[in-house]
Amino acid sequence: MKRHAGYTVIIIFLIIFLALSYSRQQKRVKQVLSENERLLNENRDLRHSLDVNSNTARQIADRSEVRERTEGTFVERRTYYRRNWKQFIAVTTSDYRTGFLGGIKDLQVIVRNQSEYPLDNVVVSVDYMRGSGEVFKTEQYTINDVPAKGSKSVDASSSRKGQKVAIKLLSITSQPMNFCWSANKPTAPGNPDPYLCTPQ
């Protein structure tokens, strides 16, 4: 009888111990979940704050660029385009065809001018290359009268050999922009407007 009572006491103690352990575990789980929720809310607030700051900085930069490009005088706008011409003038090739055993057809050289001033002439070189990358022929083309905010193309000669071409700008001239650039003309160090054709 005493042994039975002892078992009963032990079982009661085990039940109480397990209940207390479960209660403490549930409390820890609630604390962890609460902490996770707090961290998630903080991360969300930080992301929102970063997005707002990023958008604000981008808007300020955009406004500054627009102000620099539009609020200046006629000469200042030309100066801006001369200094940043690579953002507005580019030369590319069309989607040309290549033969099964080599050869290039339907090649065009395209000049894109996104500045506010027409270009008098643009000189480019085209390297015709074999599959190994070896250049076997180079030709030069001049594209005249490229309109402002527009583009112009010229047909390049076909080749019985070659797998690909590489195009390179050699020079650009625009009297309305007072802009003269040449790949082989070094610029003086420290010159704030190195592509000015004639000083004003």
Side-chain angles (χ1 to χ4, degrees):
M1 197 69 181
K2 289 182 179 177
R3 186 181 297 172
H4 185 68
Y7 286 150
T8 304
V9 170
I10 290 171
I11 290 171
I12 290 171
F13 275 123
L14 281 173
I15 291 170
I16 293 171
F17 176 76
L18 289 172
L20 290 173
S21 297
Y22 179 77
S23 176
R24 282 197 298 269
Q25 186 178 10
Q26 288 299 310
K27 190 180 293 184
R28 280 199 298 272
V29 168
K30 287 181 180 177
Q31 287 175 346
V32 169
L33 289 174
S34 176
E35 183 67 14
N36 283 345
E37 186 176 358
R38 185 183 67 79
L39 290 172
L40 284 172
N41 288 335
E42 284 185 3
N43 283 338
R44 188 172 59 247
D45 292 342
L46 283 171
R47 280 199 301 270
H48 178 69
S49 178
L50 285 171
D51 289 341
V52 169
N53 289 337
S54 176
N55 288 335
T56 302
R58 189 161 47 245
Q59 288 173 357
I60 291 171
D62 291 344
R63 286 174 187 161
S64 298
E65 182 178 356
V66 169
R67 193 179 307 118
E68 182 180 357
R69 290 175 57 183
T70 59
E71 289 186 356
T73 64
F74 179 71
V75 173
E76 287 171 344
R77 278 203 305 275
R78 293 193 301 175
T79 302
Y80 176 82
Y81 280 115
R82 285 195 301 268
R83 289 175 180 169
N84 301 280
W85 69 268
K86 290 181 181 179
Q87 298 178 26
F88 301 97
I89 302 169
V91 60
T92 58
T93 61
S94 62
D95 292 330
Y96 53 89
R97 293 189 299 153
T98 55
F100 180 71
L101 297 175
I104 294 169
K105 295 180 179 179
D106 301 330
L107 174 65
Q108 287 187 319
V109 177
I110 305 166
V111 177
R112 304 185 192 284
N113 174 24
Q114 293 305 307
S115 77
E116 297 177 11
Y117 303 95
L119 309 178
D120 298 318
N121 58 70
V122 178
V123 181
V124 302
S125 69
V126 178
D127 290 337
Y128 294 77
M129 296 181 289
R130 295 187 171 91
S132 63
E134 177 191 358
V135 177
F136 68 88
K137 180 172 74 168
T138 299
E139 294 197 357
Q140 189 169 298
Y141 298 93
T142 300
I143 300 92
N144 297 311
D145 304 320
V146 183
K149 300 289 184 181
S151 63
K152 193 170 182 181
S153 63
V154 295
D155 293 330
S157 64
S158 298
S159 171
R160 287 182 295 173
K161 296 185 292 183
Q163 294 288 335
K164 55 186 177 178
V165 298
I167 193 166
K168 184 169 63 175
L169 265 169
L170 297 181
S171 68
I172 309 170
T173 304
S174 170
Q175 291 304 319
M177 200 195 305
N178 198 7
F179 173 56
C180 296
W181 173 85
S182 176
N184 58 12
K185 180 182 176 184
T187 58
N191 185 349
D193 196 0
Y195 310 125
L196 182 69
C197 293
T198 46
Q200 302 293 306

PDB file of all heavy atoms in Angstrom, residues 92-99 102-110 126 128 137 141 153-165 167:
ATOM      1  N   THR A  92      26.634  52.510 -83.965  1.00  0.00           N
ATOM      2  CA  THR A  92      26.395  51.072 -83.903  1.00  0.00           C
ATOM      3  C   THR A  92      26.305  50.525 -85.330  1.00  0.00           C
ATOM      4  O   THR A  92      26.334  51.279 -86.304  1.00  0.00           O
ATOM      5  CB  THR A  92      25.080  50.751 -83.170  1.00  0.00           C
ATOM      6  OG1 THR A  92      23.997  51.411 -83.839  1.00  0.00           O
ATOM      7  CG2 THR A  92      25.126  51.193 -81.723  1.00  0.00           C
ATOM      8  N   THR A  93      26.165  49.204 -85.425  1.00  0.00           N
ATOM      9  CA  THR A  93      25.940  48.571 -86.718  1.00  0.00           C
ATOM     10  C   THR A  93      24.548  47.951 -86.738  1.00  0.00           C
ATOM     11  O   THR A  93      23.969  47.666 -85.680  1.00  0.00           O
ATOM     12  CB  THR A  93      26.971  47.459 -86.995  1.00  0.00           C
ATOM     13  OG1 THR A  93      26.854  46.452 -85.987  1.00  0.00           O
ATOM     14  CG2 THR A  93      28.381  48.018 -87.010  1.00  0.00           C
ATOM     15  N   SER A  94      24.038  47.733 -87.937  1.00  0.00           N
ATOM     16  CA  SER A  94      22.759  47.050 -88.087  1.00  0.00           C
ATOM     17  C   SER A  94      22.956  45.552 -87.866  1.00  0.00           C
ATOM     18  O   SER A  94      24.080  45.061 -87.694  1.00  0.00           O
ATOM     19  CB  SER A  94      22.218  47.297 -89.493  1.00  0.00           C
ATOM     20  OG  SER A  94      23.118  46.745 -90.455  1.00  0.00           O
ATOM     21  N   ASP A  95      21.857  44.815 -87.894  1.00  0.00           N
ATOM     22  CA  ASP A  95      21.932  43.347 -87.823  1.00  0.00           C
ATOM     23  C   ASP A  95      22.300  42.818 -89.212  1.00  0.00           C
ATOM     24  O   ASP A  95      21.438  42.620 -90.062  1.00  0.00           O
ATOM     25  CB  ASP A  95      20.587  42.763 -87.377  1.00  0.00           C
ATOM     26  CG  ASP A  95      20.269  43.114 -85.933  1.00  0.00           C
ATOM     27  OD1 ASP A  95      21.213  43.271 -85.150  1.00  0.00           O
ATOM     28  OD2 ASP A  95      19.082  43.238 -85.614  1.00  0.00           O
ATOM     29  N   TYR A  96      23.589  42.614 -89.417  1.00  0.00           N
ATOM     30  CA  TYR A  96      24.063  42.153 -90.724  1.00  0.00           C
ATOM     31  C   TYR A  96      23.987  40.629 -90.818  1.00  0.00           C
ATOM     32  O   TYR A  96      23.826  39.930 -89.822  1.00  0.00           O
ATOM     33  CB  TYR A  96      25.496  42.636 -90.960  1.00  0.00           C
ATOM     34  CG  TYR A  96      26.454  42.283 -89.856  1.00  0.00           C
ATOM     35  CD1 TYR A  96      27.150  41.075 -89.855  1.00  0.00           C
ATOM     36  CD2 TYR A  96      26.677  43.171 -88.804  1.00  0.00           C
ATOM     37  CE1 TYR A  96      28.036  40.755 -88.848  1.00  0.00           C
ATOM     38  CE2 TYR A  96      27.551  42.846 -87.778  1.00  0.00           C
ATOM     39  CZ  TYR A  96      28.227  41.645 -87.803  1.00  0.00           C
ATOM     40  OH  TYR A  96      29.096  41.321 -86.782  1.00  0.00           O
ATOM     41  N   ARG A  97      24.112  40.126 -92.051  1.00  0.00           N
ATOM     42  CA  ARG A  97      24.067  38.682 -92.291  1.00  0.00           C
ATOM     43  C   ARG A  97      25.479  38.137 -92.502  1.00  0.00           C
ATOM     44  O   ARG A  97      26.326  38.818 -93.063  1.00  0.00           O
ATOM     45  CB  ARG A  97      23.211  38.373 -93.523  1.00  0.00           C
ATOM     46  CG  ARG A  97      21.733  38.687 -93.333  1.00  0.00           C
ATOM     47  CD  ARG A  97      20.911  38.162 -94.503  1.00  0.00           C
ATOM     48  NE  ARG A  97      21.325  38.794 -95.763  1.00  0.00           N
ATOM     49  CZ  ARG A  97      21.206  38.243 -96.955  1.00  0.00           C
ATOM     50  NH1 ARG A  97      20.735  37.008 -97.073  1.00  0.00           N
ATOM     51  NH2 ARG A  97      21.576  38.887 -98.041  1.00  0.00           N
ATOM     52  N   THR A  98      25.697  36.921 -92.045  1.00  0.00           N
ATOM     53  CA  THR A  98      26.975  36.243 -92.304  1.00  0.00           C
ATOM     54  C   THR A  98      26.688  34.944 -93.055  1.00  0.00           C
ATOM     55  O   THR A  98      25.692  34.253 -92.771  1.00  0.00           O
ATOM     56  CB  THR A  98      27.721  35.917 -90.993  1.00  0.00           C
ATOM     57  OG1 THR A  98      26.858  35.156 -90.141  1.00  0.00           O
ATOM     58  CG2 THR A  98      28.136  37.181 -90.278  1.00  0.00           C
ATOM     59  N   GLY A  99      27.550  34.620 -93.993  1.00  0.00           N
ATOM     60  CA  GLY A  99      27.390  33.400 -94.771  1.00  0.00           C
ATOM     61  C   GLY A  99      27.814  32.166 -94.003  1.00  0.00           C
ATOM     62  O   GLY A  99      28.502  32.255 -92.971  1.00  0.00           O
ATOM     63  N   GLY A 102      31.436  32.084 -94.127  1.00  0.00           N
ATOM     64  CA  GLY A 102      32.001  33.413 -93.919  1.00  0.00           C
ATOM     65  C   GLY A 102      31.440  34.408 -94.928  1.00  0.00           C
ATOM     66  O   GLY A 102      30.787  34.033 -95.901  1.00  0.00           O
ATOM     67  N   GLY A 103      31.711  35.647 -94.684  1.00  0.00           N
ATOM     68  CA  GLY A 103      31.194  36.694 -95.548  1.00  0.00           C
ATOM     69  C   GLY A 103      30.143  37.513 -94.809  1.00  0.00           C
ATOM     70  O   GLY A 103      29.377  36.982 -94.004  1.00  0.00           O
ATOM     71  N   ILE A 104      30.145  38.812 -95.080  1.00  0.00           N
ATOM     72  CA  ILE A 104      29.254  39.742 -94.377  1.00  0.00           C
ATOM     73  C   ILE A 104      28.435  40.515 -95.404  1.00  0.00           C
ATOM     74  O   ILE A 104      28.984  41.058 -96.373  1.00  0.00           O
ATOM     75  CB  ILE A 104      30.068  40.701 -93.487  1.00  0.00           C
ATOM     76  CG1 ILE A 104      30.732  39.900 -92.365  1.00  0.00           C
ATOM     77  CG2 ILE A 104      29.195  41.805 -92.914  1.00  0.00           C
ATOM     78  CD1 ILE A 104      31.754  40.659 -91.567  1.00  0.00           C
ATOM     79  N   LYS A 105      27.116  40.575 -95.175  1.00  0.00           N
ATOM     80  CA  LYS A 105      26.206  41.272 -96.088  1.00  0.00           C
ATOM     81  C   LYS A 105      25.236  42.132 -95.290  1.00  0.00           C
ATOM     82  O   LYS A 105      24.996  41.911 -94.107  1.00  0.00           O
ATOM     83  CB  LYS A 105      25.412  40.261 -96.926  1.00  0.00           C
ATOM     84  CG  LYS A 105      26.239  39.424 -97.872  1.00  0.00           C
ATOM     85  CD  LYS A 105      25.349  38.461 -98.654  1.00  0.00           C
ATOM     86  CE  LYS A 105      26.170  37.623 -99.618  1.00  0.00           C
ATOM     87  NZ  LYS A 105      25.316  36.662-100.361  1.00  0.00           N
ATOM     88  N   ASP A 106      24.644  43.114 -95.991  1.00  0.00           N
ATOM     89  CA  ASP A 106      23.597  43.982 -95.427  1.00  0.00           C
ATOM     90  C   ASP A 106      24.070  44.722 -94.181  1.00  0.00           C
ATOM     91  O   ASP A 106      23.327  44.868 -93.198  1.00  0.00           O
ATOM     92  CB  ASP A 106      22.336  43.179 -95.101  1.00  0.00           C
ATOM     93  CG  ASP A 106      21.767  42.483 -96.325  1.00  0.00           C
ATOM     94  OD1 ASP A 106      21.937  43.021 -97.435  1.00  0.00           O
ATOM     95  OD2 ASP A 106      21.164  41.408 -96.166  1.00  0.00           O
ATOM     96  N   LEU A 107      25.308  45.184 -94.221  1.00  0.00           N
ATOM     97  CA  LEU A 107      25.864  45.907 -93.076  1.00  0.00           C
ATOM     98  C   LEU A 107      25.611  47.398 -93.231  1.00  0.00           C
ATOM     99  O   LEU A 107      25.861  47.975 -94.289  1.00  0.00           O
ATOM    100  CB  LEU A 107      27.374  45.639 -92.973  1.00  0.00           C
ATOM    101  CG  LEU A 107      28.132  46.431 -91.917  1.00  0.00           C
ATOM    102  CD1 LEU A 107      27.665  46.053 -90.510  1.00  0.00           C
ATOM    103  CD2 LEU A 107      29.632  46.198 -92.055  1.00  0.00           C
ATOM    104  N   GLN A 108      25.109  48.018 -92.178  1.00  0.00           N
ATOM    105  CA  GLN A 108      24.926  49.471 -92.132  1.00  0.00           C
ATOM    106  C   GLN A 108      25.612  50.039 -90.891  1.00  0.00           C
ATOM    107  O   GLN A 108      25.662  49.388 -89.846  1.00  0.00           O
ATOM    108  CB  GLN A 108      23.438  49.835 -92.080  1.00  0.00           C
ATOM    109  CG  GLN A 108      22.685  49.627 -93.383  1.00  0.00           C
ATOM    110  CD  GLN A 108      21.279  50.182 -93.279  1.00  0.00           C
ATOM    111  OE1 GLN A 108      20.606  50.033 -92.260  1.00  0.00           O
ATOM    112  NE2 GLN A 108      20.820  50.825 -94.337  1.00  0.00           N
ATOM    113  N   VAL A 109      26.126  51.247 -91.038  1.00  0.00           N
ATOM    114  CA  VAL A 109      26.698  51.983 -89.911  1.00  0.00           C
ATOM    115  C   VAL A 109      25.672  53.035 -89.493  1.00  0.00           C
ATOM    116  O   VAL A 109      25.205  53.821 -90.324  1.00  0.00           O
ATOM    117  CB  VAL A 109      28.026  52.653 -90.302  1.00  0.00           C
ATOM    118  CG1 VAL A 109      28.565  53.476 -89.137  1.00  0.00           C
ATOM    119  CG2 VAL A 109      29.045  51.606 -90.719  1.00  0.00           C
ATOM    120  N   ILE A 110      25.303  53.038 -88.219  1.00  0.00           N
ATOM    121  CA  ILE A 110      24.227  53.911 -87.717  1.00  0.00           C
ATOM    122  C   ILE A 110      24.797  54.860 -86.664  1.00  0.00           C
ATOM    123  O   ILE A 110      25.471  54.426 -85.729  1.00  0.00           O
ATOM    124  CB  ILE A 110      23.094  53.082 -87.090  1.00  0.00           C
ATOM    125  CG1 ILE A 110      22.578  52.041 -88.096  1.00  0.00           C
ATOM    126  CG2 ILE A 110      21.957  53.985 -86.619  1.00  0.00           C
ATOM    127  CD1 ILE A 110      21.705  50.970 -87.465  1.00  0.00           C
ATOM    128  N   VAL A 126      35.460  50.655 -89.613  1.00  0.00           N
ATOM    129  CA  VAL A 126      34.863  49.329 -89.448  1.00  0.00           C
ATOM    130  C   VAL A 126      35.939  48.285 -89.703  1.00  0.00           C
ATOM    131  O   VAL A 126      36.542  48.254 -90.781  1.00  0.00           O
ATOM    132  CB  VAL A 126      33.675  49.122 -90.407  1.00  0.00           C
ATOM    133  CG1 VAL A 126      33.107  47.712 -90.241  1.00  0.00           C
ATOM    134  CG2 VAL A 126      32.591  50.160 -90.169  1.00  0.00           C
ATOM    135  N   TYR A 128      36.724  44.451 -90.334  1.00  0.00           N
ATOM    136  CA  TYR A 128      36.147  43.167 -90.724  1.00  0.00           C
ATOM    137  C   TYR A 128      37.080  42.077 -90.193  1.00  0.00           C
ATOM    138  O   TYR A 128      38.274  42.089 -90.481  1.00  0.00           O
ATOM    139  CB  TYR A 128      36.037  43.077 -92.249  1.00  0.00           C
ATOM    140  CG  TYR A 128      35.058  44.059 -92.850  1.00  0.00           C
ATOM    141  CD1 TYR A 128      35.393  45.405 -92.998  1.00  0.00           C
ATOM    142  CD2 TYR A 128      33.806  43.637 -93.272  1.00  0.00           C
ATOM    143  CE1 TYR A 128      34.490  46.311 -93.552  1.00  0.00           C
ATOM    144  CE2 TYR A 128      32.903  44.533 -93.841  1.00  0.00           C
ATOM    145  CZ  TYR A 128      33.254  45.869 -93.968  1.00  0.00           C
ATOM    146  OH  TYR A 128      32.358  46.766 -94.526  1.00  0.00           O
ATOM    147  N   LYS A 137      40.544  43.422 -92.856  1.00  0.00           N
ATOM    148  CA  LYS A 137      40.218  44.597 -93.665  1.00  0.00           C
ATOM    149  C   LYS A 137      39.625  45.667 -92.761  1.00  0.00           C
ATOM    150  O   LYS A 137      38.855  45.366 -91.847  1.00  0.00           O
ATOM    151  CB  LYS A 137      39.219  44.223 -94.764  1.00  0.00           C
ATOM    152  CG  LYS A 137      38.818  45.394 -95.649  1.00  0.00           C
ATOM    153  CD  LYS A 137      37.985  44.958 -96.853  1.00  0.00           C
ATOM    154  CE  LYS A 137      36.582  44.602 -96.472  1.00  0.00           C
ATOM    155  NZ  LYS A 137      35.678  44.447 -97.636  1.00  0.00           N
ATOM    156  N   TYR A 141      34.193  55.280 -92.952  1.00  0.00           N
ATOM    157  CA  TYR A 141      32.951  55.849 -93.472  1.00  0.00           C
ATOM    158  C   TYR A 141      32.687  57.193 -92.798  1.00  0.00           C
ATOM    159  O   TYR A 141      32.992  57.386 -91.620  1.00  0.00           O
ATOM    160  CB  TYR A 141      31.766  54.915 -93.220  1.00  0.00           C
ATOM    161  CG  TYR A 141      31.906  53.582 -93.906  1.00  0.00           C
ATOM    162  CD1 TYR A 141      32.468  52.498 -93.228  1.00  0.00           C
ATOM    163  CD2 TYR A 141      31.508  53.407 -95.222  1.00  0.00           C
ATOM    164  CE1 TYR A 141      32.626  51.272 -93.851  1.00  0.00           C
ATOM    165  CE2 TYR A 141      31.654  52.177 -95.855  1.00  0.00           C
ATOM    166  CZ  TYR A 141      32.214  51.118 -95.167  1.00  0.00           C
ATOM    167  OH  TYR A 141      32.371  49.904 -95.789  1.00  0.00           O
ATOM    168  N   SER A 153      22.060  56.622 -91.129  1.00  0.00           N
ATOM    169  CA  SER A 153      22.875  55.442 -91.411  1.00  0.00           C
ATOM    170  C   SER A 153      23.431  55.505 -92.822  1.00  0.00           C
ATOM    171  O   SER A 153      22.900  56.217 -93.687  1.00  0.00           O
ATOM    172  CB  SER A 153      22.045  54.166 -91.224  1.00  0.00           C
ATOM    173  OG  SER A 153      20.977  54.136 -92.152  1.00  0.00           O
ATOM    174  N   VAL A 154      24.507  54.760 -93.042  1.00  0.00           N
ATOM    175  CA  VAL A 154      25.075  54.589 -94.386  1.00  0.00           C
ATOM    176  C   VAL A 154      25.322  53.101 -94.597  1.00  0.00           C
ATOM    177  O   VAL A 154      25.577  52.356 -93.649  1.00  0.00           O
ATOM    178  CB  VAL A 154      26.391  55.382 -94.570  1.00  0.00           C
ATOM    179  CG1 VAL A 154      26.161  56.873 -94.477  1.00  0.00           C
ATOM    180  CG2 VAL A 154      27.451  54.922 -93.584  1.00  0.00           C
ATOM    181  N   ASP A 155      25.235  52.672 -95.862  1.00  0.00           N
ATOM    182  CA  ASP A 155      25.525  51.280 -96.193  1.00  0.00           C
ATOM    183  C   ASP A 155      27.036  51.066 -96.198  1.00  0.00           C
ATOM    184  O   ASP A 155      27.784  51.855 -96.787  1.00  0.00           O
ATOM    185  CB  ASP A 155      24.955  50.932 -97.566  1.00  0.00           C
ATOM    186  CG  ASP A 155      23.440  50.938 -97.579  1.00  0.00           C
ATOM    187  OD1 ASP A 155      22.837  50.646 -96.524  1.00  0.00           O
ATOM    188  OD2 ASP A 155      22.848  51.244 -98.631  1.00  0.00           O
ATOM    189  N   ALA A 156      27.457  50.003 -95.533  1.00  0.00           N
ATOM    190  CA  ALA A 156      28.870  49.618 -95.552  1.00  0.00           C
ATOM    191  C   ALA A 156      29.045  48.505 -96.582  1.00  0.00           C
ATOM    192  O   ALA A 156      28.100  47.786 -96.912  1.00  0.00           O
ATOM    193  CB  ALA A 156      29.316  49.146 -94.176  1.00  0.00           C
ATOM    194  N   SER A 157      30.254  48.378 -97.079  1.00  0.00           N
ATOM    195  CA  SER A 157      30.495  47.386 -98.122  1.00  0.00           C
ATOM    196  C   SER A 157      30.411  45.967 -97.561  1.00  0.00           C
ATOM    197  O   SER A 157      30.712  45.727 -96.395  1.00  0.00           O
ATOM    198  CB  SER A 157      31.856  47.623 -98.767  1.00  0.00           C
ATOM    199  OG  SER A 157      32.876  47.433 -97.810  1.00  0.00           O
ATOM    200  N   SER A 158      29.971  45.054 -98.401  1.00  0.00           N
ATOM    201  CA  SER A 158      29.931  43.644 -98.031  1.00  0.00           C
ATOM    202  C   SER A 158      31.340  43.065 -98.134  1.00  0.00           C
ATOM    203  O   SER A 158      32.257  43.693 -98.664  1.00  0.00           O
ATOM    204  CB  SER A 158      28.973  42.880 -98.946  1.00  0.00           C
ATOM    205  OG  SER A 158      27.660  43.383 -98.817  1.00  0.00           O
ATOM    206  N   SER A 159      31.493  41.854 -97.617  1.00  0.00           N
ATOM    207  CA  SER A 159      32.797  41.188 -97.657  1.00  0.00           C
ATOM    208  C   SER A 159      32.587  39.706 -97.924  1.00  0.00           C
ATOM    209  O   SER A 159      31.675  39.091 -97.373  1.00  0.00           O
ATOM    210  CB  SER A 159      33.533  41.395 -96.328  1.00  0.00           C
ATOM    211  OG  SER A 159      34.689  40.605 -96.275  1.00  0.00           O
ATOM    212  N   ARG A 160      33.430  39.133 -98.774  1.00  0.00           N
ATOM    213  CA  ARG A 160      33.331  37.703 -99.056  1.00  0.00           C
ATOM    214  C   ARG A 160      33.916  36.865 -97.934  1.00  0.00           C
ATOM    215  O   ARG A 160      33.692  35.671 -97.861  1.00  0.00           O
ATOM    216  CB  ARG A 160      34.049  37.376-100.368  1.00  0.00           C
ATOM    217  CG  ARG A 160      33.298  37.861-101.595  1.00  0.00           C
ATOM    218  CD  ARG A 160      34.012  37.479-102.863  1.00  0.00           C
ATOM    219  NE  ARG A 160      35.304  38.152-102.963  1.00  0.00           N
ATOM    220  CZ  ARG A 160      36.200  37.906-103.908  1.00  0.00           C
ATOM    221  NH1 ARG A 160      35.955  36.972-104.816  1.00  0.00           N
ATOM    222  NH2 ARG A 160      37.344  38.562-103.937  1.00  0.00           N
ATOM    223  N   LYS A 161      34.702  37.518 -97.052  1.00  0.00           N
ATOM    224  CA  LYS A 161      35.288  36.829 -95.906  1.00  0.00           C
ATOM    225  C   LYS A 161      34.816  37.521 -94.627  1.00  0.00           C
ATOM    226  O   LYS A 161      34.288  38.614 -94.659  1.00  0.00           O
ATOM    227  CB  LYS A 161      36.821  36.870 -95.985  1.00  0.00           C
ATOM    228  CG  LYS A 161      37.398  36.134 -97.175  1.00  0.00           C
ATOM    229  CD  LYS A 161      38.917  36.122 -97.108  1.00  0.00           C
ATOM    230  CE  LYS A 161      39.494  37.528 -97.297  1.00  0.00           C
ATOM    231  NZ  LYS A 161      40.975  37.513 -97.316  1.00  0.00           N
ATOM    232  N   GLY A 162      35.050  36.858 -93.521  1.00  0.00           N
ATOM    233  CA  GLY A 162      34.771  37.486 -92.232  1.00  0.00           C
ATOM    234  C   GLY A 162      33.546  36.917 -91.551  1.00  0.00           C
ATOM    235  O   GLY A 162      32.609  36.459 -92.199  1.00  0.00           O
ATOM    236  N   GLN A 163      33.578  36.982 -90.200  1.00  0.00           N
ATOM    237  CA  GLN A 163      32.472  36.490 -89.383  1.00  0.00           C
ATOM    238  C   GLN A 163      31.832  37.600 -88.550  1.00  0.00           C
ATOM    239  O   GLN A 163      30.680  37.485 -88.163  1.00  0.00           O
ATOM    240  CB  GLN A 163      32.981  35.393 -88.433  1.00  0.00           C
ATOM    241  CG  GLN A 163      33.457  34.133 -89.140  1.00  0.00           C
ATOM    242  CD  GLN A 163      32.312  33.330 -89.723  1.00  0.00           C
ATOM    243  OE1 GLN A 163      31.184  33.420 -89.267  1.00  0.00           O
ATOM    244  NE2 GLN A 163      32.603  32.550 -90.757  1.00  0.00           N
ATOM    245  N   LYS A 164      32.586  38.654 -88.288  1.00  0.00           N
ATOM    246  CA  LYS A 164      32.041  39.738 -87.460  1.00  0.00           C
ATOM    247  C   LYS A 164      32.784  41.030 -87.763  1.00  0.00           C
ATOM    248  O   LYS A 164      33.810  41.035 -88.453  1.00  0.00           O
ATOM    249  CB  LYS A 164      32.167  39.396 -85.978  1.00  0.00           C
ATOM    250  CG  LYS A 164      33.572  39.062 -85.522  1.00  0.00           C
ATOM    251  CD  LYS A 164      33.588  38.602 -84.081  1.00  0.00           C
ATOM    252  CE  LYS A 164      34.995  38.185 -83.647  1.00  0.00           C
ATOM    253  NZ  LYS A 164      35.035  37.771 -82.237  1.00  0.00           N
ATOM    254  N   VAL A 165      32.210  42.138 -87.258  1.00  0.00           N
ATOM    255  CA  VAL A 165      32.830  43.455 -87.462  1.00  0.00           C
ATOM    256  C   VAL A 165      32.945  44.165 -86.114  1.00  0.00           C
ATOM    257  O   VAL A 165      32.210  43.866 -85.173  1.00  0.00           O
ATOM    258  CB  VAL A 165      32.017  44.327 -88.450  1.00  0.00           C
ATOM    259  CG1 VAL A 165      31.943  43.682 -89.815  1.00  0.00           C
ATOM    260  CG2 VAL A 165      30.627  44.612 -87.915  1.00  0.00           C
ATOM    261  N   ILE A 167      33.310  48.281 -84.734  1.00  0.00           N
ATOM    262  CA  ILE A 167      33.168  49.663 -85.193  1.00  0.00           C
ATOM    263  C   ILE A 167      33.776  50.602 -84.161  1.00  0.00           C
ATOM    264  O   ILE A 167      33.727  50.344 -82.954  1.00  0.00           O
ATOM    265  CB  ILE A 167      31.681  49.978 -85.446  1.00  0.00           C
ATOM    266  CG1 ILE A 167      31.520  51.277 -86.220  1.00  0.00           C
ATOM    267  CG2 ILE A 167      30.888  49.998 -84.166  1.00  0.00           C
ATOM    268  CD1 ILE A 167      30.139  51.465 -86.788  1.00  0.00           C
TER     269      ILE A 167
END
